[in-house]
């Protein structure tokens, strides 16, 4: 009995419909015209998931430039928001804006690294918010309820920024 070309320890009677090479069920690719080996089936990644270095660079420049601008703006706005629910809504907006603009900069491509760029931009944005807050008041407010809301806000913003980038 013939062995699989890719897995010599597996005996098989299956053959590729194009080249006739022996294939096992692990190597088998179903196509509309029959079973083929991986080489003949021509399995390719979707263009959405083919991200080149140029797209990563565009996404990173957009993300971190936007994070700095939003961080400075949010730093001055957040000090006037005493109710933490509005800060959570603001975090939702920040995450959405960063995720959407990074996605557009990368031509709507998707990858784990684009999601990491979006997450890093959100974290940088909130670091800048806290530095602006420290610069204005000279101390960090570590009250437990504010800390919980701030961590929750960052989590919401990271979730919304990476939602369409993974």
């Amino acid at each position: 009995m013939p062995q699989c070309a890719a897995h010599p320890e597996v005996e098989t009677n299956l053959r590729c419909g194009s080249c006739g090479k022996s294939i096992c069920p692990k190597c088998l690719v179903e196509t509309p015209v029959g079973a083929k080996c991986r080489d003949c089936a021509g399995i390719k990644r979707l263009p959405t998931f083919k991200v080149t270095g140029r797209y990563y660079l565009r996404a990173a420049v957009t993300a971190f430039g936007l994070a700095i601008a939003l961080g400075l703006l949010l730093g001055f706005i957040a000090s006037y928001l005493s109710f933490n629910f509005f800060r959570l809504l603001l975090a939702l907006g920040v995450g959405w804006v960063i995720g959407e603009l990074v996605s557009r900069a990368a031509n709507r491509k998707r990858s784990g690294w684009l999601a990491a760029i979006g997450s890093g931009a959100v974290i940088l944005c909130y670091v800048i918010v806290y530095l602006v807050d420290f610069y204005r008041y000279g101390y960090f407010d570590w009250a437990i309820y504010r800390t919980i809301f701030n961590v929750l806000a960052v989590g919401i913003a990271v979730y919304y920024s990476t939602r369409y980038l993974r």
Side-chain angles (χ1 to χ4, degrees), residues 54-70 97-106 117-118 121 124:
R54 184 178 69 152
Y55 288 122
Y56 285 125
L57 181 63
R58 285 173 52 184
V61 168
T62 300
F64 293 114
L66 187 63
I68 292 168
L70 282 175
V97 166
I98 288 175
E100 182 67 22
L101 292 180
V102 168
S103 178
R104 287 184 186 194
I117 289 171
L124 176 65

Side-chain angles (χ1 to χ4, degrees), residues 11 18 29 36 38 47 65 78-79 97 100-101 118 136 157:
E11 294 182 351
S18 294
V29 176
K36 293 188 177 187
R38 292 184 189 271
S79 62
V97 166
E100 182 67 22
L101 292 180
R136 288 181 76 185

Side-chain angles (χ1 to χ4, degrees), residues 45-60:
R45 290 180 56 116
L46 291 173
T48 305
F49 297 100
K50 287 183 183 177
V51 186
T52 62
R54 184 178 69 152
Y55 288 122
Y56 285 125
L57 181 63
R58 285 173 52 184

Side-chain angles (χ1 to χ4, degrees), residues 69-80:
L70 282 175
L72 291 172
L73 178 68
L74 192 61
F76 290 112
I77 292 173
S79 62
Y80 298 109

Side-chain angles (χ1 to χ4, degrees), residues 1-23:
M1 184 172 254
Q3 284 83 20
C4 173
H7 304 101
E9 66 278 358
V10 178
E11 294 182 351
T12 182
N13 283 326
L14 296 171
R15 296 208 177 269
C16 173
S18 294
C19 66
K21 183 169 47 174
S22 296
I23 53 175

